[in-house]
Amino acid sequence: MRILLPQPPLFSFSECRWFLDRGYDECLHRFEGDTIVKTVRIDGAPLVFAMRSQGKHLVIEILHGAPGAKTREQLRSWISGWLDLGRNLQPFYAQLKAHPRLAWMAKDFRGLRLIGIPDLYESLCWSIIGQQINLAFAYKLKRRFVENYGESIRVNGTRHLIFPLPERVMRARVEDLQQLQFSRQKIEYLINVSRLIHEGRLSKARLEALPTAEEKHQFLTGIKGIGTWTANYTLMKTLNDTSAIPHGDAGLLNALLKHKLIKDKKDKAGIEKTFRHFKGWEAYLTFYLWRSLAVK
DNA sequence: ATCCAGGGGTCAC
DNA sequence: GTGACCCATGGA
């Protein structure tokens, strides 16, 4: 009962693996050789799948979860969004190759896709958890969050963690989360977002229904704990908006400095000038710039 | 020891 | 609308 997904042009599983396997303590997926094993929720139900690249396809196997036709189709669609498989990267590569300082990335990172976080709740929680702290610590906090409030599923003797449901986090005790080294603000934001999602006042569908990026941005920043960085990060990672820029992002600024595209971190003109060459592909440029921090 | 982390809210001016 | 301050802790 395998699912086959054709690999689009300008897609490289090994390039995408860079992001998925960067050495951080990721608790929602892991690699076993060339195979990634990941947990997701499909219609709220936990599912564990394995995926590897084979020839011209991605081969997916469901290890846990109802393998019905509907689930398979939903998983296929989920993975397509996660790896941004439906995107034609040709225009982005044309712009990238024309850039005097960054053209090399088109060759060196060829086939790297914007790896997303299709689940809005997971995306917002991760943004809140990761705010202001270094990534190693952020992954530690995420693991504690998932281990304490999520579910765990055993497949062939291995334990797999499933991201928590908002209803559970909504009822979490502040003291318990403080024990896990969450700051009072992060706890407040997490519980509040959990409530909004659980009550249906905030959902991916509701967000997608808003006609413009500005309205989506406004809707998100109206929520406590979600500022301009998180709003744009969400548009980029969850709604696959290739025009979104996570303004103020530390990694983005460091990469722009590294490639001498800005003179300091307040150089708004330099930032604007750089992104002007990548209209419609700002999120991809950002993702490639993050990638560039890991080389040389 | 000091500064920065894949920020955001609050408050003073 | 801008800037100082706080949150909390880890890592370099």
Side-chain angles (χ1 to χ4, degrees):
Chain A
M1 205 61 121
R2 300 186 313 176
I3 301 169
L4 290 184
L5 269 180
Q7 297 186 32
L10 295 173
F11 170 82
S12 161
F13 185 61
S14 55
E15 276 304 321
C16 292
R17 177 173 182 160
W18 159 75
F19 184 79
L20 296 166
D21 195 15
R22 289 179 296 166
Y24 291 112
D25 181 27
E26 171 60 65
C27 60
L28 299 178
H29 69 249
R30 61 200 189 91
F31 276 86
E32 292 172 3
D34 291 331
T35 302
I36 184 171
V37 179
K38 176 153 183 65
T39 63
V40 292
R41 284 188 189 276
I42 298 293
D43 273 349
L47 187 145
V48 184
F49 70 90
M51 182 176 83
R52 66 179 193 280
S53 172
Q54 190 177 69
K56 294 178 185 299
H57 291 86
L58 291 169
V59 183
I60 297 124
E61 194 180 346
I62 295 177
L63 304 179
H64 180 277
K70 190 183 171 199
T71 304
R72 291 207 306 279
E73 190 45 47
Q74 283 175 309
L75 179 60
R76 177 191 292 273
S77 157
W78 188 93
I79 291 172
S80 182
W82 175 42
L83 304 178
D84 203 31
L85 295 178
R87 192 82 48 199
N88 172 18
L89 289 194
Q90 210 76 261
F92 171 60
Y93 275 68
Q95 283 165 291
L96 192 52
K97 285 174 182 168
H99 195 283
R101 285 252 169 76
L102 302 176
W104 59 277
M105 298 200 301
K107 183 162 74 70
D108 286 29
F109 307 149
R110 184 187 161 87
L112 173 65
R113 298 267 157 169
L114 201 170
I115 311 298
I117 306 176
D119 183 80
L120 178 65
Y121 179 57
E122 180 188 332
S123 184
L124 292 176
C125 288
W126 174 232
S127 298
I128 291 164
I129 289 171
Q131 281 171 204
Q132 187 51 20
I133 56 177
N134 64 66
L135 276 177
F137 185 43
Y139 276 100
K140 262 186 208 170
L141 289 181
K142 175 169 137 182
R143 174 176 286 281
R144 291 175 190 163
F145 184 69
V146 174
E147 283 182 344
N148 281 275
Y149 298 94
E151 295 162 52
S152 120
I153 284 177
R154 205 164 276 285
V155 180
N156 302 326
T158 307
R159 193 172 65 114
H160 298 272
L161 296 171
I162 312 287
F163 200 78
L165 286 169
E167 188 173 9
R168 175 78 195 282
V169 177
M170 198 170 91
R171 308 187 197 290
R173 285 172 33 173
V174 173
E175 311 87 77
D176 292 342
L177 278 160
Q178 275 181 311
Q179 205 71 24
L180 303 180
Q181 291 180 286
F182 284 71
S183 69
R184 287 200 310 275
Q185 287 172 338
K186 284 189 198 297
I187 296 167
E188 181 190 330
Y189 301 158
L190 285 171
I191 291 179
N192 182 242
V193 162
S194 300
R195 186 176 303 123
L196 291 176
I197 297 252
H198 177 68
E199 291 172 351
R201 286 191 278 162
L202 171 62
S203 69
K204 189 170 179 178
R206 188 168 276 219
L207 204 52
E208 280 170 333
L210 296 173
T212 65
E214 288 73 30
E215 288 174 80
K216 294 178 171 76
H217 190 281
Q218 267 185 28
F219 183 75
L220 286 168
T221 52
I223 300 163
K224 262 203 191 312
I226 300 180
T228 182
W229 177 83
T230 305
N232 286 311
Y233 182 85
T234 303
L235 294 183
M236 169 181 175
K237 299 276 286 187
T238 303
L239 298 190
N240 298 49
D241 178 353
T242 59
S243 301
I245 307 171
H247 286 291
D249 180 82
L252 171 59
L253 293 170
N254 284 335
L256 291 170
L257 273 176
K258 174 175 177 162
H259 303 305
K260 302 190 189 308
L261 295 163
I262 55 175
K263 58 179 194 295
D264 57 54
K265 291 190 175 182
K266 291 183 292 184
D267 183 5
K268 288 193 175 182
I271 298 170
E272 203 271 327
K273 187 182 172 204
T274 302
F275 278 105
R276 200 185 308 147
H277 291 279
F278 292 92
K279 278 284 175 233
W281 294 97
E282 292 88 343
Y284 259 92
L285 175 63
T286 300
F287 204 71
Y288 274 55
L289 285 171
W290 284 343
R291 172 69 180 90
S292 77
L293 286 169
V295 296
K296 294 174 202 164

